[in-house]
Amino acid sequence: QSVLTQPPSASGTPGQRVTISCSGRSSNIGSNNVYWYQQLPGTAPKLLIYRSNQRPSGVPDRFSGSKSGTSGSLAISGLRSEDEADYYCAAWDDGLSGVLFGGGTKLTVL
Amino acid sequence: QVQLVESGGGVVQPGRSLRLSCAASGFTFSSYGMYWVRQAPGKGLDWVALIWYDGSNKYYADSVKGRFTISRDNSKNTLYLQMNSLRVEDTAVYFCARKDTVMLSTGSYYHYYGMDVWGQGTTVTVSS
């Protein structure tokens, strides 16, 4: 099953700003919302960004999402050690009639 | 508070069956579509199945189509995943997740395709 394309890894130092990209096609990101999930080791995924750029209550405003054409992006500003986790993007694909996930990006805080 | 609790995982031999359950609480279960998502050891997230809020529509990943069946009992606030003809490659943690849905001012619901609440997962191991 095809996936959305994310970089496998990203890193930054405390206080820095990092961005994680998510590349798709017209049938998924191009015509549907992007969702972002954070998964800490050994835990369930947690919703970070919904409907491409909305942040659930309780998620710090250091996290932001955007979408342009067939790509989505997650930005984390003021990087903190507790941000070290795996990050996944997801979108519905109209052609497949199913959800596609990105392969995940492991964020390391140096 | 909103909560999803999976159960039913375990160790099973290839070719056998298993049924997972997901008990929902803290929200109007019958108004929300529900997902199953799995994660193989050391791997990423993999969508398995989706069921509409009223059970009228069901969608499956190609990898499980014809073997897995998603269902729900709105009177019991419970989601199910019947897994038949299990394979070694079905070994994973299985999560249930709620479909992103918003209640409109008219009292009806608008359904998006994302997942907004996740359970803690239940582990399925397929091994001889």
Side-chain angles (χ1 to χ4, degrees), chain A residues 35 37 39 44 51 88 92 98, chain B residues 39 44 100 112-115 118-119:
Chain A
Y35 290 72
Y37 303 96
Q39 188 176 33
R51 300 174 214 160
Y88 294 91
W92 181 261
Chain B
Q39 186 170 34
D100 178 18
Y112 295 92
Y113 279 110
M115 301 136 189
W118 295 66

Side-chain angles (χ1 to χ4, degrees), chain B residues 73-93:
Chain B
D73 186 336
N74 285 345
S75 68
K76 295 182 178 179
N77 290 344
T78 303
L79 173 73
Y80 303 101
L81 185 67
Q82 177 66 44
M83 303 186 295
N84 298 332
S85 303
L86 281 161
R87 304 168 179 169
V88 171
E89 55 265 34
D90 295 319
T91 294
V93 176

Side-chain angles (χ1 to χ4, degrees), chain A residues 35-38 43-51 56-57 59 101, chain B residues 1-6 22-29 32-37 45 49-50 79 94-102 112-121:
Chain A
Y35 290 72
W36 289 93
Y37 303 96
Q38 178 192 60
T43 69
K46 169 192 163 186
L47 179 65
L48 207 56
I49 297 291
Y50 65 101
R51 300 174 214 160
S57 59
V59 172
F101 282 97
Chain B
Q1 76 279 21
V2 175
Q3 194 172 15
L4 299 171
V5 179
E6 302 93 336
C22 169
S25 60
F27 65 100
T28 306
F29 180 70
Y32 288 78
M34 296 294 296
Y35 289 99
W36 285 102
V37 177
L45 300 172
L50 161 66
L79 173 73
Y94 285 73
F95 300 99
C96 63
R98 190 180 76 171
K99 195 165 180 277
D100 178 18
T101 300
V102 68
Y112 295 92
Y113 279 110
M115 301 136 189
D116 65 352
V117 178
W118 295 66
Q120 86 290 348

